[in-house]
Amino acid sequence: MNLAPSSTVTEKYFGINIVDEYRNLENLKDSSVVNWMREQTKYSTNTLKSISNRQYYIDKRKEFDKRKSFSVNSINVTENGFYFYLKKKPEESTAKLYFRKTFNGTETEIFNPQSYKPENKKNYQISYIKPNFDGSKIAIALTESGKEISEMIIYDVKKNKLLSDVITNCWPSDGGGVSWFPDNERFIYLHYPVIDPNSIFFLKNMESVIYKIGEDPQILNDIFSKENDPNLKINSEDFPIVNLPNKESKFLFGYIAGATNFVNTYYKPLNEINKKGSWKLLFDKDKKVSNFIVKGNDIIFVSEKNGMTAIYRTSLLKPNFENPDLIVPNTSDEVINGLSNIKDGFLFSSTKNGVEAKLYLYKKTHVEQLVLPFPAGDISIGTQSSRSNNFWITCSGWKNDSERFKYNYALKKFTSENLSPIIDYPEFKDIIVEETVVKSHDGVDIPLSLIYKKGINKNKHNPLLIDAYGGYGIINSPYFSKTYMLWALEGGIMAIAHVRGGGEKGEEWHLGGFKETKPNSWKDLISCAEYMINKDYTSSENIAIWGASAGGITIGRAMTERPDLFKAAIIDAGVVNASRMEFTPNGLNNVKELGSLKIESEFKALLEMDAYLHIKKGIKYPAALITGGINDPRVSPWMPTKFAAKLLANNDSENPTLLKIDYEGGHGGDIPTLQLYENLADIFVFAFWQLGHPDYQLKKDEKK
C-alpha cells in the first residue's frame, strides 16, 4: 500500500515540542490528500467485501426488518391526544411521517422525505419532528448524507398540506429542539448563521430565534445570542438555547449549552420576550443542575451539588438555589437521570451502574416506586402535557427490544401500547446477559456487561469484542443491539465496558475520566480486557476493541498503550488526534470536555489522550479499521485519516490497517438503512476476520 504524503510541522507548547508528521492531511482541498484518502477507502472497501460471509450480517438485519414488517420511533402525543411518529417499512430506505387522532385511530401518511426536492436527487432523512400543542401543525427537520445540519418545513394538519415555509440553517435534534408557543403559530429554534463546514465560522455565533409561520424566515427575531445579549458573556462556540417548558409557563428559560453537563441558566417573564437585557441568572453551572421542570411558580430540579443526585424545589418568584427545599433525597447506589412533569406531581427515573433502571412517581410529598412491566436496563419517559397525568415509558435492555407502555393512573399499572409489532427472536433465546464488575488499575470497580451464548466454553480461543465509550457523562445504557446479538450467535463474546468518563455512576464517574483524569478511561478498558483473560474467557490474540466518536480516545489510547493486549481495534469516526480537536469546527465547544492547548495542565492532558501522537516507530500494533464520514460536522474526517496514515508508516506488525471514509455519510447517523447495515457489516466481519473465526476469512483469491 502507498504511504500518505507527509509534511511535518513542529510546534512548542509550554516548552514541549509537538511533532506532527501528517499536518498536511488536514487540508482536504489538497488533491494529493484527497486522492490518498480515496485510494485507501477503495482498497479497504474491496478488502472488507472480500471477507467470506460478509453478507450474513446484512441479510440477517434485512430478515429481522422483514420479520417486524415496520418500525416506529420519535412518537409525539399532543395535549389533545394526536399521535405523530416516524414509521419505516423493511423495503424503505428512510422513515416517513405519520399521524393518527388517537392511538386506535386511522393512520395517515403525511410526509415522505423521498418526495422532498426530487430535483436535487438526494436521500433526505427526517431527523426531527415536533408538533405544536393542538396538533394542527408540525415542524419537520430534514438532512441528507449525514450532514446533520437541517432545514425545517411545516406541515399543516388541518389543511392537509405542506406550507411554503422553509427554515434553513438549523440543527434541532442537537440544539435543544423546537419550542412552540401557546398560540400554536410561533416557535423557537437555534439558528446557525454559517453552515459551510469549510468556513472558520461554521458552528459559531448561534442564536435562538422566534419564527412565526408565514413570515420571512430570513428575517431573524433573535432573543438569545452573543450579539443580542453581550452582558451574558456568551462565547462564539456556545449553544444559546431557549426553551418554554410547558404551555402554562410564565417564564422562558435560556441556557448556554455545549459539551458540558451543567450550564449557566437564565430566565425572563414571557411578556418580556423581546425586551433586551431582561434575562436574569437563575442558577450557574456550579449548582450542578442536570434537569428541571416548572410547576406554577416553582422550579423542581435534579442537582449533584452535594456529590449525589437529589431533587430539590425553589420558587421562581424568589429563587434560592443555595438553600432549596430537599424533596427527594438520594437513594444509595442510584443516579437520578430523568425528571418529567405531570398534572398531579412528577416522575423520575434512576439507574444503578447504568444498567439497572427504576421509575418513581412523586405525588403529594410521597414517593412511590412503580412496578415496571419487566426489568429494564433503560427507561425513557414521555408525557402528554403538564395538565395531564397521562404518560408512557419505553423499556429496553440488552436482550429486550424496546417496548412502550401507557400508565393507567386509576388502576396504577402499565398496559402495552406499541405502535409497531413486538417480535420474538427465538434464535436469541439462549443468549446470556451477565453484569459484573472489574477492579481497575486503582482499585475502582468498573461495571462490565457481558453477552454470550449459553453453554460457551471458557477458553483462550473465544472471539471477544469490547465496546467502550467514556465521555461527556453519557451512560452506555442497555439497548437491544442486533449487532451484539449476532456477534454472540456466531460464537463470540460481546462486552460493554462502562469506563470512567461516562455517567454510569453520576458526575463523579464522569469527572473520573475528564481532562487530566482521562487516562482512567483507557486504563479501565485495559483492566476489563485483562479480567477477561484472567477469567479464561479469551486471550490477547482474540480480543478486538471498538469505540466511536469520543470513544476513539479510549480505544486509540488503549491500543497505543498496550498494543500487546489486543489483536484488533475498530475506531469509528473517532477523536484520535485530541490535541488538534480545538482547531475543528466543533472543537472550541469540546474544550469544555477535553481541554485547551492554552492551559498548561489541559495541554498536558490533551497530549496524554492523543492516540495519534502516541504512535511510535517499530511497535507491533493491532490490526485497525479506522472509519470516518466526509460530511462529519463533529469529528473532521482528516482526523481518522491522519491516524491511519501514521499507523501505516510506523506499524512493525503485519496486521492490516484499513482506512474507510464514507463519502455519503457523516458522524454515523441520518443515512439510509442499507448504508448503515453496510457500515456495521464491515465492523462485524473485520473483527471476526482478525480474531480468526473460520467463517470470516479472506477469500483464497484475495489473500496476499
Side-chain angles (χ1 to χ4, degrees), residues 200-484:
I200 61 172
F201 298 110
F202 180 53
L203 300 185
K204 302 293 187 296
N205 301 314
M206 287 78 77
E207 48 197 343
S208 273
V209 301
I210 299 173
Y211 178 70
K212 184 176 181 180
I213 294 174
E215 293 187 346
D216 184 353
Q218 301 302 313
I219 300 175
L220 303 177
N221 182 4
D222 180 0
I223 59 169
F224 193 51
S225 69
K226 178 182 178 181
E227 182 178 352
N228 192 70
D229 303 279
N231 59 310
L232 301 185
K233 296 181 171 55
I234 299 173
N235 296 317
S236 62
E237 70 274 11
D238 291 333
F239 291 69
I241 296 170
V242 173
N243 174 253
L244 184 67
N246 57 58
K247 190 176 181 181
E248 293 74 38
S249 178
K250 301 172 186 176
F251 297 92
L252 282 171
F253 296 85
Y255 45 99
I256 302 173
T260 178
N261 290 336
F262 308 118
V263 299
N264 291 346
T265 298
Y266 301 83
Y267 72 132
K268 68 160 64 179
L270 193 57
N271 58 13
E272 295 182 6
I273 189 166
N274 283 307
K275 182 180 177 181
K276 284 197 174 186
S278 57
W279 288 106
K280 293 184 191 176
L281 180 67
L282 182 60
F283 55 82
D284 60 33
K285 60 185 178 183
D286 293 335
K287 300 300 183 295
K288 294 191 174 181
V289 174
S290 59
N291 205 345
F292 70 84
I293 60 173
V294 173
K295 295 190 81 68
N297 291 321
D298 286 344
I299 179 171
I300 297 169
F301 60 96
V302 180
S303 172
E304 287 198 47
K305 184 179 179 183
N306 297 316
M308 54 184 65
T309 52
I311 302 177
Y312 303 85
R313 175 172 51 211
T314 190
S315 170
L316 283 167
L317 301 179
K318 195 175 181 180
N320 184 353
F321 283 85
E322 292 297 332
N323 295 291
D325 297 326
L326 174 65
I327 57 175
V328 180
N330 174 263
T331 302
S332 179
D333 295 330
E334 292 182 34
V335 177
I336 298 170
N337 50 22
L339 188 63
S340 300
N341 203 354
I342 57 174
K343 179 183 177 182
D344 290 343
F346 60 85
L347 304 155
F348 65 95
S349 58
S350 71
T351 60
K352 179 180 179 180
N353 286 344
V355 296
E356 181 183 336
K358 295 180 181 179
L359 179 66
Y360 299 89
L361 169 65
Y362 179 94
K363 180 182 178 183
K364 295 180 180 178
T365 73
H366 176 67
V367 175
E368 176 188 357
Q369 182 179 345
L370 301 182
V371 178
L372 298 175
F374 58 81
D378 185 50
I379 301 169
S380 62
I381 305 169
T383 60
Q384 187 166 7
S385 79
S386 60
R387 297 190 295 179
S388 167
N389 285 321
N390 286 336
F391 71 89
W392 297 258
I393 63 169
T394 301
C395 298
S396 58
W398 300 124
K399 279 192 68 174
N400 304 105
D401 203 352
S402 295
E403 291 192 45
R404 191 167 183 266
F405 301 88
K406 184 176 182 180
Y407 188 69
N408 187 313
Y409 209 74
L411 298 177
K412 293 187 175 183
K413 69 175 186 178
F414 289 99
T415 56
S416 179
E417 190 183 284
N418 289 290
L419 284 168
S420 59
I422 299 301
I423 302 301
D424 184 36
Y425 297 91
E427 56 266 76
F428 298 151
K429 66 181 175 62
D430 289 332
I431 301 297
I432 302 295
V433 174
E434 178 185 343
E435 302 291 354
T436 188
V437 293
V438 174
K439 290 288 183 187
S440 193
H441 67 103
D442 55 358
V444 172
D445 286 340
I446 311 303
L448 180 67
S449 302
L450 300 177
I451 302 169
Y452 53 87
K453 196 172 182 180
K454 183 180 179 181
I456 194 169
N457 293 319
K458 288 186 179 181
N459 62 60
K460 65 180 181 179
H461 302 296
N462 288 318
L464 170 65
L465 179 58
I466 309 178
D467 186 355
Y469 183 73
Y472 303 94
I474 294 172
I475 300 175
N476 208 344
S477 300
Y479 70 104
F480 187 58
S481 168
K482 296 183 181 71
T483 300
Y484 295 171

Side-chain angles (χ1 to χ4, degrees), residues 671-687:
I671 56 176
T673 301
L674 183 57
Q675 185 179 341
L676 173 64
Y677 290 171
E678 291 275 354
N679 291 341
L680 287 170
D682 288 340
I683 293 168
F684 191 84
V685 301
F686 177 82

Side-chain angles (χ1 to χ4, degrees), residues 71-194:
S71 59
V72 166
N73 61 57
S74 302
I75 301 170
N76 284 252
V77 183
T78 61
E79 63 177 12
N80 56 350
F82 289 4
Y83 282 66
F84 295 88
Y85 50 93
L86 301 180
K87 174 180 173 181
K88 193 185 80 65
K89 298 176 182 177
E91 65 274 14
E92 296 172 333
S93 63
T94 185
K96 301 174 184 177
L97 174 60
Y98 289 81
F99 157 76
R100 57 176 75 179
K101 286 189 175 181
T102 64
F103 173 68
N104 293 312
T106 303
E107 179 180 83
T108 303
E109 178 189 319
I110 60 175
F111 182 72
N112 179 359
Q114 291 188 323
S115 66
Y116 186 65
K117 295 184 178 179
E119 68 277 7
N120 289 349
K121 297 181 179 179
K122 294 181 178 180
N123 291 316
Y124 287 98
Q125 312 280 317
I126 301 175
S127 59
Y128 177 86
I129 59 171
K130 186 62 178 290
N132 58 5
F133 290 104
D134 67 2
S136 59
K137 298 179 179 68
I138 181 167
I140 308 165
L142 297 154
T143 187
E144 51 92 16
S145 298
K147 293 178 181 177
E148 298 191 64
I149 296 291
S150 313
E151 53 186 68
M152 275 195 296
I153 54 178
I154 311 296
Y155 190 88
D156 190 312
V157 179
K158 287 184 176 179
K159 295 180 180 178
N160 193 29
K161 71 173 187 177
L162 199 63
L163 302 181
S164 60
D165 309 65
V166 178
I167 302 116
T168 60
N169 297 48
C170 54
W171 191 352
S173 56
D174 201 58
V178 162
S179 195
W180 284 92
F181 284 94
D183 62 13
N184 292 308
E185 294 293 321
R186 296 176 298 155
F187 58 79
I188 305 167
Y189 74 96
L190 191 65
H191 176 81
Y192 294 72
V194 177

Side-chain angles (χ1 to χ4, degrees), residues 572-593:
D572 192 10
V575 180
V576 286
N577 192 189
S579 66
R580 293 292 295 166
M581 189 68 184
E582 204 166 345
F583 302 97
T584 67
N586 199 31
L588 287 177
N589 176 42
N590 279 277
V591 162
K592 302 163 188 173
E593 172 75 15

